[in-house]
Amino acid sequence: MTDDACDACGDAVRDALARTVRLSVDRSQIDSQRLCPDCFADWIARYEREMQPDDTSQPVDSDADIIVD
């Protein structure tokens, strides 16, 4: 087993504990990061937070523009 550095914090991490996050678009790899368990947990939390719908947006009322005389 090797100890390589975490791409986020720089701490040494054993292969068995490391997680690799890969970003691909149309089958082309854009980014790859090797993360220690703590940085991986932070990455997951940030991903979940950023992928949540924006609660501040108002729902679309499709009847709002209908005028009845």
Short mmCIF file of all heavy atoms in Angstrom, two decimals:
data_model
loop_
_atom_site.label_atom_id
_atom_site.label_comp_id
_atom_site.label_asym_id
_atom_site.label_seq_id
_atom_site.Cartn_x
_atom_site.Cartn_y
_atom_site.Cartn_z
N MET A 1 0.84 -1.19 0.00
CA MET A 1 0.00 0.00 0.00
C MET A 1 0.88 1.24 0.00
O MET A 1 1.90 1.28 0.64
CB MET A 1 -0.86 0.02 1.26
CG MET A 1 -2.21 -0.58 1.08
SD MET A 1 -3.21 -0.24 2.50
CE MET A 1 -3.76 -1.88 2.84
N THR A 2 0.42 2.24 -0.70
CA THR A 2 1.18 3.48 -0.75
C THR A 2 0.44 4.57 0.02
O THR A 2 -0.75 4.50 0.22
CB THR A 2 1.39 3.94 -2.20
OG1 THR A 2 0.12 4.20 -2.78
CG2 THR A 2 2.12 2.90 -3.02
N ASP A 3 1.19 5.55 0.45
CA ASP A 3 0.63 6.74 1.09
C ASP A 3 0.84 7.91 0.15
O ASP A 3 1.94 8.39 0.00
CB ASP A 3 1.33 7.05 2.42
CG ASP A 3 0.96 6.08 3.53
OD1 ASP A 3 -0.03 5.36 3.36
OD2 ASP A 3 1.64 6.07 4.56
N ASP A 4 -0.23 8.32 -0.52
CA ASP A 4 -0.18 9.49 -1.38
C ASP A 4 -0.96 10.60 -0.70
O ASP A 4 -1.73 10.37 0.22
CB ASP A 4 -0.78 9.19 -2.75
CG ASP A 4 0.11 8.26 -3.58
OD1 ASP A 4 1.34 8.37 -3.45
OD2 ASP A 4 -0.44 7.46 -4.34
N ALA A 5 -0.79 11.80 -1.18
CA ALA A 5 -1.44 12.96 -0.56
C ALA A 5 -2.87 13.12 -1.06
O ALA A 5 -3.19 12.85 -2.21
CB ALA A 5 -0.64 14.22 -0.87
N CYS A 6 -3.72 13.58 -0.15
CA CYS A 6 -5.09 13.95 -0.49
C CYS A 6 -5.02 15.22 -1.34
O CYS A 6 -4.28 16.16 -1.03
CB CYS A 6 -5.88 14.21 0.79
SG CYS A 6 -7.50 14.95 0.55
N ASP A 7 -5.78 15.26 -2.43
CA ASP A 7 -5.76 16.44 -3.31
C ASP A 7 -6.37 17.67 -2.66
O ASP A 7 -6.09 18.79 -3.07
CB ASP A 7 -6.49 16.13 -4.62
CG ASP A 7 -5.71 15.17 -5.50
OD1 ASP A 7 -4.46 15.14 -5.40
OD2 ASP A 7 -6.34 14.45 -6.29
N ALA A 8 -7.19 17.48 -1.63
CA ALA A 8 -7.84 18.63 -0.98
C ALA A 8 -7.00 19.20 0.15
O ALA A 8 -6.72 20.39 0.18
CB ALA A 8 -9.22 18.24 -0.48
N CYS A 9 -6.59 18.36 1.10
CA CYS A 9 -5.89 18.87 2.29
C CYS A 9 -4.39 18.61 2.27
O CYS A 9 -3.65 19.23 3.02
CB CYS A 9 -6.50 18.29 3.56
SG CYS A 9 -6.22 16.50 3.76
N GLY A 10 -3.93 17.69 1.44
CA GLY A 10 -2.51 17.41 1.34
C GLY A 10 -2.00 16.37 2.32
O GLY A 10 -0.83 15.99 2.27
N ASP A 11 -2.85 15.88 3.22
CA ASP A 11 -2.44 14.85 4.17
C ASP A 11 -2.22 13.53 3.46
O ASP A 11 -2.89 13.22 2.48
CB ASP A 11 -3.50 14.66 5.26
CG ASP A 11 -3.59 15.83 6.23
OD1 ASP A 11 -2.67 16.69 6.22
OD2 ASP A 11 -4.57 15.89 6.98
N ALA A 12 -1.29 12.74 3.99
CA ALA A 12 -1.04 11.42 3.44
C ALA A 12 -2.24 10.52 3.73
O ALA A 12 -2.83 10.60 4.81
CB ALA A 12 0.21 10.82 4.05
N VAL A 13 -2.60 9.71 2.77
CA VAL A 13 -3.74 8.79 2.94
C VAL A 13 -3.40 7.48 2.26
O VAL A 13 -2.89 7.45 1.15
CB VAL A 13 -5.05 9.41 2.40
CG1 VAL A 13 -4.95 9.73 0.93
CG2 VAL A 13 -6.23 8.51 2.68
N ARG A 14 -3.68 6.38 2.94
CA ARG A 14 -3.42 5.05 2.39
C ARG A 14 -4.45 4.75 1.29
O ARG A 14 -5.59 5.18 1.36
CB ARG A 14 -3.49 3.99 3.47
CG ARG A 14 -2.35 4.08 4.45
CD ARG A 14 -2.26 2.76 5.21
NE ARG A 14 -1.06 2.70 6.00
CZ ARG A 14 0.14 2.33 5.54
NH1 ARG A 14 0.29 2.02 4.28
NH2 ARG A 14 1.18 2.29 6.34
N ASP A 15 -4.04 3.97 0.32
CA ASP A 15 -4.92 3.60 -0.78
C ASP A 15 -6.24 3.01 -0.31
O ASP A 15 -7.29 3.29 -0.87
CB ASP A 15 -4.23 2.60 -1.71
CG ASP A 15 -3.18 3.25 -2.59
OD1 ASP A 15 -3.22 4.48 -2.75
OD2 ASP A 15 -2.32 2.52 -3.12
N ALA A 16 -6.19 2.18 0.74
CA ALA A 16 -7.40 1.53 1.22
C ALA A 16 -8.42 2.53 1.77
O ALA A 16 -9.61 2.25 1.80
CB ALA A 16 -7.05 0.50 2.30
N LEU A 17 -7.98 3.70 2.21
CA LEU A 17 -8.87 4.71 2.77
C LEU A 17 -9.24 5.79 1.78
O LEU A 17 -10.20 6.53 2.00
CB LEU A 17 -8.21 5.35 4.00
CG LEU A 17 -7.92 4.41 5.16
CD1 LEU A 17 -7.17 5.17 6.26
CD2 LEU A 17 -9.18 3.78 5.71
N ALA A 18 -8.49 5.92 0.71
CA ALA A 18 -8.70 7.01 -0.25
C ALA A 18 -9.93 6.76 -1.10
O ALA A 18 -10.30 5.62 -1.38
CB ALA A 18 -7.48 7.16 -1.15
N ARG A 19 -10.57 7.84 -1.48
CA ARG A 19 -11.69 7.79 -2.41
C ARG A 19 -11.35 8.69 -3.58
O ARG A 19 -10.77 9.76 -3.41
CB ARG A 19 -12.98 8.30 -1.75
CG ARG A 19 -13.42 7.47 -0.57
CD ARG A 19 -13.83 6.07 -1.04
NE ARG A 19 -14.23 5.22 0.05
CZ ARG A 19 -13.47 4.25 0.57
NH1 ARG A 19 -12.26 4.04 0.11
NH2 ARG A 19 -13.92 3.50 1.54
N THR A 20 -11.72 8.25 -4.76
CA THR A 20 -11.46 9.05 -5.96
C THR A 20 -12.78 9.56 -6.51
O THR A 20 -13.71 8.78 -6.72
CB THR A 20 -10.73 8.23 -7.03
OG1 THR A 20 -9.50 7.76 -6.48
CG2 THR A 20 -10.43 9.08 -8.25
N VAL A 21 -12.86 10.87 -6.70
CA VAL A 21 -14.04 11.51 -7.27
C VAL A 21 -13.67 11.90 -8.69
O VAL A 21 -12.69 12.60 -8.91
CB VAL A 21 -14.44 12.75 -6.45
CG1 VAL A 21 -15.62 13.44 -7.09
CG2 VAL A 21 -14.74 12.38 -5.01
N ARG A 22 -14.46 11.41 -9.66
CA ARG A 22 -14.20 11.71 -11.06
C ARG A 22 -15.40 12.45 -11.65
O ARG A 22 -16.54 12.04 -11.44
CB ARG A 22 -13.96 10.43 -11.85
CG ARG A 22 -12.67 9.75 -11.51
CD ARG A 22 -12.44 8.52 -12.37
NE ARG A 22 -11.22 7.84 -11.98
CZ ARG A 22 -11.17 6.84 -11.11
NH1 ARG A 22 -12.27 6.40 -10.56
NH2 ARG A 22 -10.02 6.29 -10.79
N LEU A 23 -15.11 13.49 -12.38
CA LEU A 23 -16.15 14.24 -13.08
C LEU A 23 -15.97 14.00 -14.57
O LEU A 23 -14.91 14.26 -15.13
CB LEU A 23 -16.04 15.74 -12.78
CG LEU A 23 -16.97 16.66 -13.55
CD1 LEU A 23 -18.42 16.34 -13.21
CD2 LEU A 23 -16.65 18.10 -13.27
N SER A 24 -17.02 13.48 -15.20
CA SER A 24 -16.98 13.20 -16.63
C SER A 24 -18.18 13.84 -17.30
O SER A 24 -19.27 13.87 -16.75
CB SER A 24 -17.02 11.69 -16.89
OG SER A 24 -15.91 11.06 -16.32
N VAL A 25 -17.94 14.37 -18.48
CA VAL A 25 -19.00 14.94 -19.30
C VAL A 25 -18.89 14.30 -20.68
O VAL A 25 -17.83 14.34 -21.30
CB VAL A 25 -18.87 16.48 -19.40
CG1 VAL A 25 -19.92 17.04 -20.34
CG2 VAL A 25 -18.97 17.12 -18.02
N ASP A 26 -19.98 13.72 -21.12
CA ASP A 26 -20.00 13.03 -22.42
C ASP A 26 -18.83 12.06 -22.56
O ASP A 26 -18.13 12.04 -23.56
CB ASP A 26 -19.98 14.04 -23.57
CG ASP A 26 -21.23 14.88 -23.63
OD1 ASP A 26 -22.28 14.41 -23.17
OD2 ASP A 26 -21.15 16.01 -24.13
N ARG A 27 -18.62 11.30 -21.50
CA ARG A 27 -17.57 10.26 -21.43
C ARG A 27 -16.15 10.80 -21.45
O ARG A 27 -15.19 10.05 -21.55
CB ARG A 27 -17.77 9.23 -22.53
CG ARG A 27 -19.07 8.50 -22.42
CD ARG A 27 -19.17 7.41 -23.44
NE ARG A 27 -20.51 6.83 -23.39
CZ ARG A 27 -21.13 6.34 -24.42
NH1 ARG A 27 -20.55 6.32 -25.58
NH2 ARG A 27 -22.34 5.84 -24.29
N SER A 28 -15.98 12.11 -21.38
CA SER A 28 -14.64 12.70 -21.30
C SER A 28 -14.38 13.12 -19.86
O SER A 28 -15.18 13.85 -19.27
CB SER A 28 -14.53 13.93 -22.20
OG SER A 28 -14.69 13.56 -23.54
N GLN A 29 -13.28 12.64 -19.30
CA GLN A 29 -12.96 12.99 -17.92
C GLN A 29 -12.52 14.44 -17.83
O GLN A 29 -11.61 14.87 -18.51
CB GLN A 29 -11.87 12.08 -17.36
CG GLN A 29 -11.61 12.33 -15.89
CD GLN A 29 -10.72 11.27 -15.28
OE1 GLN A 29 -10.92 10.10 -15.51
NE2 GLN A 29 -9.74 11.72 -14.53
N ILE A 30 -13.20 15.20 -16.98
CA ILE A 30 -12.91 16.61 -16.78
C ILE A 30 -11.98 16.81 -15.60
O ILE A 30 -11.06 17.61 -15.63
CB ILE A 30 -14.22 17.42 -16.56
CG1 ILE A 30 -15.19 17.21 -17.71
CG2 ILE A 30 -13.93 18.88 -16.33
CD1 ILE A 30 -14.70 17.66 -19.05
N ASP A 31 -12.26 16.06 -14.51
CA ASP A 31 -11.49 16.24 -13.28
C ASP A 31 -11.47 14.93 -12.51
O ASP A 31 -12.38 14.11 -12.62
CB ASP A 31 -12.13 17.34 -12.42
CG ASP A 31 -11.30 17.70 -11.20
OD1 ASP A 31 -10.07 17.58 -11.26
OD2 ASP A 31 -11.89 18.07 -10.18
N SER A 32 -10.43 14.73 -11.73
CA SER A 32 -10.32 13.58 -10.86
C SER A 32 -9.58 14.02 -9.61
O SER A 32 -8.55 14.69 -9.70
CB SER A 32 -9.55 12.45 -11.55
OG SER A 32 -9.42 11.35 -10.69
N GLN A 33 -10.14 13.69 -8.44
CA GLN A 33 -9.53 14.07 -7.18
C GLN A 33 -9.43 12.84 -6.28
O GLN A 33 -10.37 12.07 -6.17
CB GLN A 33 -10.36 15.13 -6.46
CG GLN A 33 -10.50 16.41 -7.22
CD GLN A 33 -11.39 17.40 -6.47
OE1 GLN A 33 -11.61 17.29 -5.28
NE2 GLN A 33 -11.91 18.36 -7.18
N ARG A 34 -8.29 12.69 -5.64
CA ARG A 34 -8.08 11.62 -4.67
C ARG A 34 -8.23 12.26 -3.30
O ARG A 34 -7.51 13.20 -2.97
CB ARG A 34 -6.67 11.05 -4.84
CG ARG A 34 -6.39 9.86 -4.00
CD ARG A 34 -5.03 9.28 -4.43
NE ARG A 34 -4.79 8.02 -3.80
CZ ARG A 34 -4.27 7.89 -2.59
NH1 ARG A 34 -3.93 8.95 -1.89
NH2 ARG A 34 -4.09 6.69 -2.06
N LEU A 35 -9.19 11.76 -2.50
CA LEU A 35 -9.53 12.41 -1.25
C LEU A 35 -9.40 11.46 -0.06
O LEU A 35 -9.72 10.28 -0.16
CB LEU A 35 -10.96 12.94 -1.30
CG LEU A 35 -11.28 13.91 -2.44
CD1 LEU A 35 -12.76 14.23 -2.46
CD2 LEU A 35 -10.45 15.18 -2.32
N CYS A 36 -9.00 12.04 1.08
CA CYS A 36 -8.98 11.29 2.33
C CYS A 36 -10.43 11.16 2.82
O CYS A 36 -11.32 11.85 2.31
CB CYS A 36 -8.11 11.99 3.37
SG CYS A 36 -8.77 13.58 3.97
N PRO A 37 -10.71 10.30 3.80
CA PRO A 37 -12.09 10.12 4.25
C PRO A 37 -12.76 11.42 4.71
O PRO A 37 -13.93 11.64 4.41
CB PRO A 37 -11.95 9.12 5.40
CG PRO A 37 -10.74 8.32 5.04
CD PRO A 37 -9.81 9.31 4.41
N ASP A 38 -12.06 12.29 5.44
CA ASP A 38 -12.67 13.54 5.91
C ASP A 38 -13.01 14.47 4.75
O ASP A 38 -14.09 15.06 4.71
CB ASP A 38 -11.75 14.26 6.90
CG ASP A 38 -11.67 13.54 8.24
OD1 ASP A 38 -12.61 12.77 8.57
OD2 ASP A 38 -10.67 13.75 8.96
N CYS A 39 -12.10 14.62 3.82
CA CYS A 39 -12.35 15.50 2.67
C CYS A 39 -13.43 14.93 1.77
O CYS A 39 -14.22 15.67 1.20
CB CYS A 39 -11.06 15.74 1.89
SG CYS A 39 -9.87 16.77 2.80
N PHE A 40 -13.50 13.58 1.67
CA PHE A 40 -14.55 12.96 0.89
C PHE A 40 -15.91 13.24 1.53
O PHE A 40 -16.88 13.57 0.84
CB PHE A 40 -14.32 11.46 0.76
CG PHE A 40 -15.36 10.75 -0.05
CD1 PHE A 40 -15.43 10.93 -1.42
CD2 PHE A 40 -16.28 9.91 0.55
CE1 PHE A 40 -16.40 10.29 -2.19
CE2 PHE A 40 -17.26 9.26 -0.20
CZ PHE A 40 -17.31 9.45 -1.56
N ALA A 41 -16.00 13.14 2.85
CA ALA A 41 -17.25 13.44 3.56
C ALA A 41 -17.65 14.90 3.34
O ALA A 41 -18.83 15.19 3.11
CB ALA A 41 -17.10 13.15 5.05
N ASP A 42 -16.67 15.81 3.37
CA ASP A 42 -16.95 17.22 3.09
C ASP A 42 -17.45 17.42 1.67
O ASP A 42 -18.36 18.20 1.41
CB ASP A 42 -15.71 18.09 3.33
CG ASP A 42 -15.32 18.17 4.79
OD1 ASP A 42 -16.16 17.84 5.67
OD2 ASP A 42 -14.16 18.55 5.06
N TRP A 43 -16.83 16.69 0.72
CA TRP A 43 -17.22 16.79 -0.68
C TRP A 43 -18.66 16.32 -0.87
O TRP A 43 -19.46 16.97 -1.55
CB TRP A 43 -16.27 15.97 -1.55
CG TRP A 43 -16.49 16.13 -3.02
CD1 TRP A 43 -15.90 17.03 -3.84
CD2 TRP A 43 -17.41 15.38 -3.84
NE1 TRP A 43 -16.39 16.88 -5.13
CE2 TRP A 43 -17.30 15.89 -5.15
CE3 TRP A 43 -18.29 14.35 -3.59
CZ2 TRP A 43 -18.05 15.37 -6.21
CZ3 TRP A 43 -19.04 13.85 -4.64
CH2 TRP A 43 -18.92 14.36 -5.93
N ILE A 44 -19.01 15.20 -0.24
CA ILE A 44 -20.38 14.67 -0.34
C ILE A 44 -21.38 15.66 0.26
O ILE A 44 -22.44 15.93 -0.34
CB ILE A 44 -20.49 13.30 0.37
CG1 ILE A 44 -19.73 12.23 -0.40
CG2 ILE A 44 -21.94 12.89 0.57
CD1 ILE A 44 -20.30 11.90 -1.77
N ALA A 45 -21.07 16.22 1.43
CA ALA A 45 -21.97 17.18 2.07
C ALA A 45 -22.17 18.41 1.19
O ALA A 45 -23.30 18.90 1.03
CB ALA A 45 -21.42 17.59 3.44
N ARG A 46 -21.08 18.91 0.59
CA ARG A 46 -21.19 20.08 -0.30
C ARG A 46 -22.01 19.73 -1.54
O ARG A 46 -22.86 20.51 -1.97
CB ARG A 46 -19.80 20.57 -0.70
CG ARG A 46 -19.86 21.93 -1.41
CD ARG A 46 -18.51 22.41 -1.84
NE ARG A 46 -18.30 21.94 -3.20
CZ ARG A 46 -17.18 21.47 -3.69
NH1 ARG A 46 -16.11 21.39 -2.94
NH2 ARG A 46 -17.09 21.08 -4.93
N TYR A 47 -21.80 18.55 -2.11
CA TYR A 47 -22.55 18.12 -3.29
C TYR A 47 -24.04 18.07 -2.97
O TYR A 47 -24.86 18.59 -3.73
CB TYR A 47 -22.05 16.74 -3.74
CG TYR A 47 -22.83 16.18 -4.89
CD1 TYR A 47 -22.53 16.54 -6.20
CD2 TYR A 47 -23.87 15.29 -4.69
CE1 TYR A 47 -23.25 16.03 -7.27
CE2 TYR A 47 -24.60 14.77 -5.75
CZ TYR A 47 -24.27 15.15 -7.03
OH TYR A 47 -25.00 14.64 -8.08
N GLU A 48 -24.39 17.43 -1.84
CA GLU A 48 -25.80 17.33 -1.47
C GLU A 48 -26.42 18.72 -1.23
O GLU A 48 -27.54 18.98 -1.64
CB GLU A 48 -25.95 16.48 -0.21
CG GLU A 48 -25.70 15.02 -0.46
CD GLU A 48 -25.74 14.17 0.80
OE1 GLU A 48 -25.61 14.73 1.92
OE2 GLU A 48 -25.92 12.96 0.66
N ARG A 49 -25.66 19.60 -0.59
CA ARG A 49 -26.15 20.96 -0.30
C ARG A 49 -26.37 21.75 -1.60
O ARG A 49 -27.39 22.41 -1.77
CB ARG A 49 -25.14 21.67 0.61
CG ARG A 49 -25.58 22.98 1.17
CD ARG A 49 -24.58 23.52 2.18
NE ARG A 49 -23.21 23.63 1.67
CZ ARG A 49 -22.19 22.86 2.06
NH1 ARG A 49 -22.36 21.92 2.96
NH2 ARG A 49 -20.99 23.03 1.55
N GLU A 50 -25.44 21.66 -2.53
CA GLU A 50 -25.53 22.43 -3.77
C GLU A 50 -26.53 21.85 -4.76
O GLU A 50 -27.02 22.58 -5.62
CB GLU A 50 -24.14 22.54 -4.41
CG GLU A 50 -23.20 23.42 -3.62
CD GLU A 50 -21.83 23.56 -4.25
OE1 GLU A 50 -21.62 23.05 -5.37
OE2 GLU A 50 -20.97 24.18 -3.60
N MET A 51 -26.85 20.57 -4.64
CA MET A 51 -27.79 19.95 -5.57
C MET A 51 -29.23 20.05 -5.09
O MET A 51 -30.16 19.69 -5.81
CB MET A 51 -27.44 18.48 -5.80
CG MET A 51 -26.13 18.29 -6.54
SD MET A 51 -26.21 18.99 -8.21
CE MET A 51 -24.97 20.24 -8.11
N GLN A 52 -29.46 20.56 -3.89
CA GLN A 52 -30.82 20.73 -3.38
C GLN A 52 -31.51 21.87 -4.13
O GLN A 52 -30.87 22.86 -4.47
CB GLN A 52 -30.80 21.06 -1.88
CG GLN A 52 -30.33 19.92 -1.02
CD GLN A 52 -31.25 18.71 -1.12
OE1 GLN A 52 -32.46 18.83 -1.08
NE2 GLN A 52 -30.64 17.54 -1.27
N PRO A 53 -32.81 21.76 -4.34
CA PRO A 53 -33.54 22.86 -4.99
C PRO A 53 -33.49 24.10 -4.12
O PRO A 53 -33.43 24.01 -2.89
CB PRO A 53 -34.97 22.35 -5.11
CG PRO A 53 -35.00 20.98 -4.55
CD PRO A 53 -33.65 20.64 -4.02
N ASP A 54 -33.53 25.23 -4.75
CA ASP A 54 -33.50 26.51 -4.06
C ASP A 54 -34.87 26.76 -3.44
O ASP A 54 -35.86 26.97 -4.15
CB ASP A 54 -33.14 27.62 -5.05
CG ASP A 54 -32.99 28.96 -4.38
OD1 ASP A 54 -32.95 29.03 -3.14
OD2 ASP A 54 -32.90 29.97 -5.10
N ASP A 55 -34.96 26.73 -2.11
CA ASP A 55 -36.24 26.91 -1.42
C ASP A 55 -36.76 28.33 -1.49
O ASP A 55 -37.93 28.58 -1.20
CB ASP A 55 -36.11 26.51 0.06
CG ASP A 55 -35.92 25.01 0.21
OD1 ASP A 55 -36.29 24.27 -0.72
OD2 ASP A 55 -35.38 24.59 1.24
N THR A 56 -35.92 29.29 -1.87
CA THR A 56 -36.35 30.69 -1.91
C THR A 56 -37.11 31.02 -3.19
O THR A 56 -37.74 32.06 -3.26
CB THR A 56 -35.15 31.64 -1.78
OG1 THR A 56 -34.26 31.42 -2.87
CG2 THR A 56 -34.43 31.41 -0.45
N SER A 57 -37.04 30.15 -4.17
CA SER A 57 -37.74 30.44 -5.43
C SER A 57 -39.24 30.23 -5.23
O SER A 57 -39.68 29.35 -4.50
CB SER A 57 -37.23 29.56 -6.56
OG SER A 57 -37.51 28.22 -6.28
N GLN A 58 -40.01 31.06 -5.87
CA GLN A 58 -41.47 30.99 -5.78
C GLN A 58 -41.99 29.97 -6.78
O GLN A 58 -41.51 29.90 -7.90
CB GLN A 58 -42.09 32.36 -6.07
CG GLN A 58 -41.66 33.43 -5.08
CD GLN A 58 -42.15 33.12 -3.67
OE1 GLN A 58 -43.26 32.64 -3.52
NE2 GLN A 58 -41.32 33.37 -2.69
N PRO A 59 -42.99 29.19 -6.39
CA PRO A 59 -43.56 28.25 -7.35
C PRO A 59 -44.25 29.00 -8.49
O PRO A 59 -44.78 30.10 -8.30
CB PRO A 59 -44.59 27.46 -6.53
CG PRO A 59 -44.84 28.29 -5.32
CD PRO A 59 -43.63 29.14 -5.10
N VAL A 60 -44.21 28.41 -9.65
CA VAL A 60 -44.82 29.02 -10.82
C VAL A 60 -46.32 28.79 -10.76
O VAL A 60 -46.79 27.66 -10.65
CB VAL A 60 -44.24 28.43 -12.12
CG1 VAL A 60 -44.95 29.01 -13.33
CG2 VAL A 60 -42.74 28.68 -12.18
N ASP A 61 -47.09 29.88 -10.81
CA ASP A 61 -48.54 29.81 -10.81
C ASP A 61 -49.00 29.99 -12.25
O ASP A 61 -49.01 31.10 -12.78
CB ASP A 61 -49.14 30.88 -9.90
CG ASP A 61 -50.65 30.78 -9.79
OD1 ASP A 61 -51.23 29.87 -10.42
OD2 ASP A 61 -51.23 31.60 -9.06
N SER A 62 -49.35 28.89 -12.89
CA SER A 62 -49.72 28.97 -14.31
C SER A 62 -51.02 29.73 -14.53
O SER A 62 -51.30 30.17 -15.63
CB SER A 62 -49.83 27.55 -14.90
OG SER A 62 -50.84 26.84 -14.22
N ASP A 63 -51.85 29.89 -13.48
CA ASP A 63 -53.11 30.63 -13.61
C ASP A 63 -52.96 32.11 -13.31
O ASP A 63 -53.95 32.85 -13.42
CB ASP A 63 -54.16 30.03 -12.67
CG ASP A 63 -54.52 28.61 -13.05
OD1 ASP A 63 -54.36 28.27 -14.25
OD2 ASP A 63 -54.94 27.84 -12.17
N ALA A 64 -51.81 32.57 -12.97
CA ALA A 64 -51.62 33.97 -12.57
C ALA A 64 -51.88 34.94 -13.72
O ALA A 64 -52.29 36.07 -13.47
CB ALA A 64 -50.22 34.17 -12.03
N ASP A 65 -51.64 34.54 -14.95
CA ASP A 65 -51.80 35.44 -16.08
C ASP A 65 -53.18 35.34 -16.74
O ASP A 65 -53.45 36.00 -17.74
CB ASP A 65 -50.72 35.16 -17.14
CG ASP A 65 -49.33 35.48 -16.63
OD1 ASP A 65 -49.22 36.39 -15.77
OD2 ASP A 65 -48.37 34.85 -17.07
N ILE A 66 -54.07 34.53 -16.18
CA ILE A 66 -55.41 34.38 -16.76
C ILE A 66 -56.31 35.48 -16.20
O ILE A 66 -56.42 35.67 -15.00
CB ILE A 66 -55.99 33.00 -16.43
CG1 ILE A 66 -55.14 31.91 -17.07
CG2 ILE A 66 -57.44 32.90 -16.90
CD1 ILE A 66 -55.55 30.50 -16.71
N ILE A 67 -56.93 36.21 -17.11
CA ILE A 67 -57.86 37.27 -16.72
C ILE A 67 -59.27 36.82 -17.09
O ILE A 67 -59.54 36.47 -18.23
CB ILE A 67 -57.52 38.59 -17.43
CG1 ILE A 67 -56.11 39.03 -17.06
CG2 ILE A 67 -58.55 39.66 -17.09
CD1 ILE A 67 -55.60 40.21 -17.85
N VAL A 68 -60.14 36.82 -16.11
CA VAL A 68 -61.53 36.44 -16.35
C VAL A 68 -62.39 37.67 -16.16
O VAL A 68 -62.37 38.31 -15.12
CB VAL A 68 -61.96 35.32 -15.37
CG1 VAL A 68 -63.42 34.94 -15.59
CG2 VAL A 68 -61.05 34.12 -15.50
N ASP A 69 -63.19 38.02 -17.19
CA ASP A 69 -64.09 39.19 -17.11
C ASP A 69 -65.46 38.76 -16.68
O ASP A 69 -66.00 37.79 -16.98
CB ASP A 69 -64.20 39.91 -18.45
CG ASP A 69 -62.94 40.71 -18.72
OD1 ASP A 69 -62.30 41.16 -17.78
OD2 ASP A 69 -62.64 40.87 -19.93
#
